[in-house]
Amino acid sequence: AQKVTQAQTEISVVEKEDVTLDCVYETRDTTYYLFWYKQPPSGELVFLIRRNSFDEQNEISGRYSWNFQKSTSSFNFTITASQVVDSAVYFCALSEPGSNYQLIWGAGTKLIIKP
Amino acid sequence: EAQVTQNPRYLITVTGKKLTVTCSQNMNHEYMSWYRQDPGLGLRQIYYSMNVEVTDKGDVPEGYKVSRKEKRNFPLILESPSPNQTSLYFCASSLSPTGEGGYTFGSGTRLTVV
């Protein structure tokens, strides 16, 4: 069965530090999609990235970068030079055709950036 | 502005009183879905819709109904709400079931059933 594990429940760093959020997934399908979402204290869910299983290129968007490694079933997220505004809960999610593309979510990692 | 609009944002109701949470998107998305978020249980899918008149159950459909008569609207209906349906609800939409372009979420509806 598909599963997403975010083992880090909470991470606290000081502003300007780099921080990596881990995401490990399990799936039976060869085609699947991985997502990261941010949920700030205001509660909305903000889309960050979607990656399909055939694209293993790492992605960088400003201070954000993602490392997708099929060999270890991981899709880790790094924030460089963190800022207080990055404080939020971050969710990793997986969908696959075998489950009708139902999004399966990790438990989330609460990131606290201290000034 | 491209968005998913949910209403109401907050709702307190009594057990057994039927309610509807509305969801509307203006992006011509085919795929829409409802989730609930609960502490310790995370986000779980309630229902989803691949297109007009096509709906299916997610992980936790008991006690809920949905309809998709028009592409833009996907209301969530609680026929007889119970306290265990107290939760934060999110509606989401995307171009396709694979989440092409990402799933866009509404701002959420915090429902309390007393």
Side-chain angles (χ1 to χ4, degrees):
Chain A
Q2 56 178 322
K3 185 179 174 182
V4 176
T5 303
Q6 294 181 258
Q8 303 149 309
T9 306
E10 185 173 303
I11 300 174
S12 181
V13 301
V14 176
E15 200 172 19
K16 295 195 177 82
E17 283 186 20
D18 298 348
V19 57
T20 295
L21 311 182
D22 297 333
C23 173
V24 174
Y25 61 92
E26 292 176 30
T27 177
R28 292 168 295 193
D29 286 359
T30 54
T31 300
Y32 53 89
Y33 302 88
L34 294 162
F35 302 81
W36 275 95
Y37 276 85
K38 173 183 180 180
Q39 187 172 41
S42 49
E44 71 270 26
L45 285 160
V46 179
F47 169 68
L48 296 177
I49 190 169
R50 171 186 181 265
R51 179 50 51 89
N52 77 54
S53 53
F54 297 108
D55 183 1
E56 283 195 76
Q57 277 195 334
N58 291 332
E59 176 132 356
I60 298 175
S61 176
R63 296 183 297 105
Y64 295 172
S65 63
W66 290 269
N67 186 328
F68 177 32
Q69 294 209 336
K70 286 175 78 168
S71 59
T72 55
S73 296
S74 65
F75 187 42
N76 297 337
F77 172 35
T78 297
I79 302 175
T80 304
S82 59
Q83 299 176 2
V84 172
V85 293
D86 295 326
S87 297
V89 179
Y90 290 85
F91 292 96
C92 181
L94 163 74
S95 75
E96 60 182 23
S99 302
N100 279 330
Y101 300 105
Q102 182 182 151
L103 264 182
I104 300 298
W105 298 78
T109 297
K110 183 175 183 179
L111 178 63
I112 300 168
I113 311 294
K114 294 183 281 193
Chain B
E1 182 192 349
Q3 60 186 359
V4 175
T5 304
Q6 277 180 244
N7 280 299
R9 287 293 307 276
Y10 303 91
L11 179 59
I12 300 174
T13 190
V14 296
T15 298
K17 186 176 178 183
K18 181 179 177 179
L19 67 91
T20 299
V21 183
T22 63
C23 174
S24 181
Q25 50 94 3
N26 62 0
M27 296 167 280
N28 202 36
H29 283 172
E30 285 193 354
Y31 184 88
M32 298 185 75
S33 59
W34 277 102
Y35 295 86
R36 59 179 289 174
Q37 185 177 25
D38 302 289
L41 295 174
L43 282 138
R44 295 175 293 168
Q45 190 180 59
I46 304 170
Y47 269 95
Y48 64 95
S49 170
M50 297 278 195
N51 214 322
V52 175
E53 302 290 3
V54 181
T55 64
D56 210 342
K57 297 176 182 177
D59 279 336
V60 289
E62 296 75 24
Y64 305 94
K65 282 174 59 176
V66 293
S67 68
R68 187 97 181 269
K69 295 189 171 71
E70 308 161 281
K71 200 171 190 178
R72 63 184 294 128
N73 295 324
F74 191 44
L76 179 69
I77 303 154
L78 285 72
E79 295 269 2
S80 182
S82 63
N84 65 12
Q85 293 178 299
T86 292
S87 188
L88 178 59
Y89 291 87
F90 287 100
C91 179
S93 74
S94 68
L95 273 168
S96 69
T98 64
E100 185 180 349
Y103 298 91
T104 303
F105 282 81
S107 300
T109 295
R110 190 166 290 281
L111 173 65
T112 302
V113 184
V114 298

